[in-house]
Amino acid sequence: MQARFIKYRLDFKQPSGTSRGVLTCKDSWFIILEKEGKKGIGECSILKGLSYDDRPDFEAQLTRLCKAINNQTILPNLTQWPALRMGYEMALLSLEGQSTYNLFPSNFTKGTTSIPINGLVWMGSHDFMRKQIDHLLEREFDCIKIKIGAIHFEKELDLIARIRKQYNSNAITIRVDANGAFAPQEALEKLKRLSDFSIHSIEQPIATEQWESLASLCEKTPVPIALDEELIGLFSSSEKVELLNTVMPQYLIIKPSLLGGFKQSEEWMRLAEERKILWWTTSALESNIGLNAIAQWTFRQKIQMPQGLGTGSLFDNNIDSPLIIKKGCLWVDNSIPWGLINK
């Protein structure tokens, strides 16, 4: 087996606001494996300021991995390199799969069944966020996730109230993502105000590494709490168990690129289910290559609610793929061919 990689910069169609600033581009690295005429592709997706392996020596570690594969020597330890671990696992599954882009064959990959997803509203001005919401409603999404924490809380409540004036919670599910924006002492009061609008859940209401405050909040909250960033950097089973037993959240957000791949994600799911904690999966600004693999894997899990898999349309220079979104669901249209990876 031979290995190489390509660095690929994805350009956003328009600047996208997050709690870590406004994104105009992001980098991914594609691991390409070749063996006996077959090719496998995996994506290592790095989010600046969030991915555990967002560090200067990432590419050097990727080079070491490829050299070890090519020289048939011992592979470097990838435990603390979750994006790299994900990309390598994905590439192996791609190499062994039905075809390069069919890693987990199913009715989803056949194009006969879809995955319900949430529409995402990025941070920005009140007007910008309102326009995004209107666009998602026009596209018939029935689950909308709104990133909050960038503008005044009253204005964010106004955006949510506008939806609820038109649609009740049976028609439109509303999720919010605070990305740790609330101070612990104010979080419960803000959650009480959000609960007036029948919010499905809130992701990461307070900043990470405040487990006691988070546990107290999860016990008292009127809005179910989902852990997201809190899971990053916990690699051993004992660390995962300690977090879940301490905090006991209502939901987990499973992002394979940030957690170390599919096997690591499945361990989080198993530990959550043992504690009757629900979960859903989310992509993390991968290209269509990574999104495709995550969607196929997600479909094979026990899906109970809309997933967070709709980020592929954000980029100007994404790789063309059969993935399409119709009426708030992700589909595979096999009449559309895969494009080429151009540097």
Side-chain angles (χ1 to χ4, degrees), residues 216-278:
S216 176
L217 204 56
C218 288
E219 184 178 7
K220 299 172 183 176
T221 183
V223 176
I225 290 173
L227 299 192
D228 181 358
E229 290 95 333
E230 205 71 58
L231 310 186
I232 297 170
L234 302 183
F235 302 116
S236 70
S237 297
S238 60
E239 289 175 311
K240 297 170 187 176
V241 166
E242 184 181 3
L243 170 66
L244 297 182
N245 286 349
T246 300
V247 177
M248 286 302 293
Q250 284 75 33
Y251 294 105
L252 297 186
I253 309 297
I254 305 296
K255 295 181 176 178
S257 287
L258 297 177
L259 301 182
F262 300 126
K263 290 180 181 177
Q264 287 294 304
S265 296
E266 287 166 8
E267 182 179 34
W268 276 111
M269 292 171 174
R270 178 181 59 78
L271 293 173
E273 289 170 1
E274 287 172 358
R275 292 158 178 79
K276 302 190 185 310
I277 297 169
L278 302 177

Side-chain angles (χ1 to χ4, degrees), residues 12-306:
F12 283 82
K13 291 178 179 176
Q14 60 185 22
S16 299
T18 73
S19 59
R20 289 163 294 282
V22 177
L23 300 175
T24 58
C25 63
K26 73 161 292 290
D27 292 328
S28 280
W29 286 258
F30 296 121
I31 299 176
I32 300 173
L33 303 177
E34 295 180 272
K35 181 181 180 181
E36 298 173 356
K38 291 192 69 178
K39 182 166 73 172
I41 299 177
E43 180 173 357
C44 308
S45 178
I46 296 289
L47 291 180
K48 288 289 183 185
L50 184 60
S51 296
Y52 191 82
D53 37 8
D54 171 27
R55 44 195 204 248
D57 56 342
F58 175 82
E59 197 163 302
Q61 181 74 349
L62 177 52
T63 300
R64 283 191 283 272
L65 172 65
C66 289
K67 283 184 176 179
I69 293 169
N70 294 336
N71 296 332
Q72 299 183 41
T73 55
I74 296 174
L75 302 184
N77 188 332
L78 301 181
T79 300
Q80 298 197 14
W81 299 86
L84 183 45
R85 193 173 182 176
M86 168 66 168
Y88 181 49
E89 182 182 9
M90 191 190 306
L92 287 172
L93 289 165
S94 171
L95 185 68
E96 298 163 0
Q98 198 171 84
S99 66
T100 301
Y101 298 110
N102 194 347
L103 288 67
F104 300 96
S106 67
N107 287 334
F108 174 69
T109 59
K110 292 176 184 175
T112 59
T113 309
S114 64
I115 301 173
I117 61 174
N118 61 230
L120 182 60
V121 177
W122 291 86
M123 290 178 176
S125 68
H126 182 277
D127 187 55
F128 173 64
M129 294 176 73
R130 178 184 57 78
K131 288 178 179 177
Q132 291 181 77
I133 291 170
D134 290 344
H135 182 58
L136 291 171
L137 293 172
E138 288 169 5
R139 294 173 64 194
E140 300 183 62
F141 278 88
D142 57 14
C143 182
I144 294 176
K145 172 181 160 181
I146 305 172
K147 286 184 173 288
I148 61 175
I151 61 176
H152 197 281
F153 186 59
E154 298 299 329
K155 291 187 175 181
E156 291 169 336
L157 290 178
D158 177 69
L159 289 168
I160 295 169
R162 286 182 73 254
I163 301 173
R164 278 290 171 254
K165 285 177 183 176
Q166 292 179 266
Y167 305 95
N168 64 30
S169 58
N170 292 323
I172 298 292
T173 298
I174 300 176
R175 296 170 173 168
V176 296
D177 183 0
N179 287 124
F182 298 166
Q185 62 271 20
E186 67 179 12
L188 186 58
E189 180 58 33
K190 288 188 171 182
L191 290 172
K192 288 177 180 176
R193 296 195 64 192
L194 284 166
S195 69
D196 292 338
F197 303 102
S198 301
I199 302 298
H200 171 269
S201 57
I202 180 168
E203 295 180 32
Q204 205 68 47
I206 64 175
T208 59
E209 300 180 8
Q210 302 180 88
W211 289 11
E212 288 187 11
S213 295
L214 194 54
S216 176
L217 204 56
C218 288
E219 184 178 7
K220 299 172 183 176
T221 183
V223 176
I225 290 173
L227 299 192
D228 181 358
E229 290 95 333
E230 205 71 58
L231 310 186
I232 297 170
L234 302 183
F235 302 116
S236 70
S237 297
S238 60
E239 289 175 311
K240 297 170 187 176
V241 166
E242 184 181 3
L243 170 66
L244 297 182
N245 286 349
T246 300
V247 177
M248 286 302 293
Q250 284 75 33
Y251 294 105
L252 297 186
I253 309 297
I254 305 296
K255 295 181 176 178
S257 287
L258 297 177
L259 301 182
F262 300 126
K263 290 180 181 177
Q264 287 294 304
S265 296
E266 287 166 8
E267 182 179 34
W268 276 111
M269 292 171 174
R270 178 181 59 78
L271 293 173
E273 289 170 1
E274 287 172 358
R275 292 158 178 79
K276 302 190 185 310
I277 297 169
L278 302 177
W279 54 264
W280 69 88
T281 68
T282 302
S283 51
L285 298 180
E286 296 87 357
S287 75
N288 279 331
I289 289 176
L291 175 60
N292 174 66
I294 294 169
Q296 291 182 20
W297 167 78
T298 296
F299 185 80
R300 298 275 288 265
Q301 311 307 313
K302 293 177 283 186
I303 297 174
Q304 300 181 37
M305 63 191 82

